[in-house]
């Protein structure tokens, strides 16, 4: 069974930058939004020529690609699905002229299928599902955060966090004009991160995806 990990955070919180620590020979990027990765040399490291980069159109495209990687590319040990929330957003735009509630049920089904079928893949694969966060409010007060979806109609169909055993939040903390990027491994204030018991020894770790990868592999192996 592959390990599926949600990396959640606001834009600019350091999610994509954390990829730079991974070995590109063992890593495959599925770039949903087709945007440049925010670290030096990324285009030389990840591209179609190197056979470690792909831009999908739909959740079905993503699932087909990761199945192919699982079966045909044993040297790939981690897959990053960048900006995965756009799979729902772009789908919603494509279905904008459709009326009725059915389109939301189909969108929810596609995402659930992607996540659940991903877990059935090669045992040594870690699949990172990068996604934006959104706030849960009570009036004007933020009471918590969650994985971003395309709205309440989707939220009524699925609770995204419930599909993952590991949910890590990206956080930026600034003091005296100096900012530090972290990954949060368990609930911290309003950030509902979660990881298995004693997987991580610290609540805050550097936003280094190789550290996360090594820790997950050590825990399960």
């Amino acid at each position: 069974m592959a390990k599926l990990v949600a990396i959640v955070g606001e834009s600019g919180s350091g999610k994509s930058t954390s990829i730079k620590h991974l070995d590109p020979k063992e890593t495959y990027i599925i770039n949903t939004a087709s945007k440049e990765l925010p670290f030096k040399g990324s285009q030389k490291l990840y591209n179609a020529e190197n056979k470690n980069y792909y831009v999908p159109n739909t959740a079905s495209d993503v699932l087909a690609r990761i199945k192919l990687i699982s079966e045909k590319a044993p040297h790939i040990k981690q897959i990053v699905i960048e900006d995965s929330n756009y799979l729902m957003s772009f789908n919603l735009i494509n279905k904008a002229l459709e009326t009725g509630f059915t389109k939301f049920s189909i969108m929810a089904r596609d995402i659930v299928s992607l996540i659940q079928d991903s877990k059935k893949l090669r045992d040594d694969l870690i699949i990172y599902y990068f996604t934006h966060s959104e706030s849960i409010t009570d009036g004007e007060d933020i009471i918590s955060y969650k994985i971003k979806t395309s709205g309440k109609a989707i939220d009524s169909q699925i609770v995204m966090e419930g599909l993952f055993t590991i949910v890590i939040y990206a956080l930026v903390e600034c003091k005296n004009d100096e900012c530090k990027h972290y990954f949060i491994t368990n609930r911290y204030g309003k950030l509902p991160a979660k990881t298995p018991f004693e997987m991580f020894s610290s609540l805050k770790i550097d936003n280094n995806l190789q550290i996360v990868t090594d820790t997950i592999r050590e825990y399960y192996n």
Side-chain angles (χ1 to χ4, degrees):
M1 177 184 291
K3 306 299 182 291
L4 197 64
V5 181
I7 304 292
V8 191
E10 298 177 350
S11 180
S13 61
K15 301 187 302 298
S16 299
T17 304
S18 70
I19 297 170
K20 71 180 182 180
H21 301 286
L22 294 173
D23 183 352
K25 294 179 180 179
E26 297 183 348
T27 305
Y28 197 103
I29 307 295
I30 298 176
N31 195 343
T32 301
S34 189
K35 69 178 185 182
E36 294 181 356
L37 297 174
F39 53 90
K40 188 175 181 180
S42 61
Q43 290 180 310
K44 293 182 179 180
L45 296 173
Y46 295 98
N47 54 61
E49 184 178 349
N50 290 341
K51 298 181 179 181
N52 62 0
Y53 183 86
Y54 175 65
V55 177
N57 291 314
T58 66
S60 297
D61 289 343
V62 175
L63 182 56
R65 182 54 56 113
I66 62 177
K67 284 182 176 179
L68 183 65
I69 294 167
S70 178
E71 295 170 2
K72 303 294 185 180
H75 64 287
I76 297 297
K77 303 301 182 184
Q78 46 271 338
I79 299 171
V80 176
I81 307 174
E82 257 278 64
D83 287 329
S84 59
N85 50 281
Y86 283 117
L87 292 171
M88 283 186 275
S89 300
F90 294 156
N91 199 3
L92 184 61
I93 292 171
N94 291 335
K95 295 178 179 292
L97 298 180
E98 295 183 18
T99 59
F101 194 73
T102 302
K103 66 180 179 182
F104 296 107
S105 296
I106 293 173
M107 290 166 60
R109 180 203 63 193
D110 290 346
I111 293 300
V112 170
S113 295
L114 169 60
I115 293 171
Q116 297 293 65
D117 288 349
S118 295
K119 297 175 184 178
K120 301 173 184 177
L121 301 180
R122 182 161 32 96
D123 288 348
D124 63 344
L125 268 179
I126 297 177
I127 302 173
Y128 289 106
Y129 187 96
F130 279 33
T131 181
H132 291 156
S133 61
E134 63 180 320
S135 59
I136 301 172
T137 59
D138 182 7
E140 295 183 355
D141 297 326
I142 297 174
I143 58 176
S144 188
Y145 288 87
K146 62 183 285 293
I147 292 174
K148 185 176 180 60
T149 66
S150 290
K152 294 182 179 179
I154 296 291
D155 292 341
S156 69
Q157 304 282 312
I158 52 174
V159 177
M160 291 292 292
E161 287 81 359
L163 300 175
F164 296 88
T165 302
I166 302 173
V167 179
I168 292 174
Y169 269 77
L171 175 68
V172 184
E173 291 186 338
C174 298
K175 185 177 181 180
N176 298 327
D177 296 327
E178 292 188 6
C179 295
K180 175 72 173 177
H181 293 77
Y182 296 99
F183 278 153
I184 303 301
T185 62
N186 276 289
R187 176 171 283 277
Y188 177 74
K190 299 172 183 178
L191 303 179
K194 64 175 183 178
T195 54
F197 180 62
E198 293 185 340
M199 175 175 278
F200 291 90
S201 59
S202 300
L203 178 63
K204 293 182 184 179
I205 62 173
D206 289 340
N207 69 327
N208 181 328
L209 210 57
Q210 188 61 54
I211 293 175
V212 176
T213 298
D214 292 343
T215 301
I216 291 172
R217 294 197 187 285
E218 181 180 356
Y219 185 86
Y220 284 111
N221 294 331

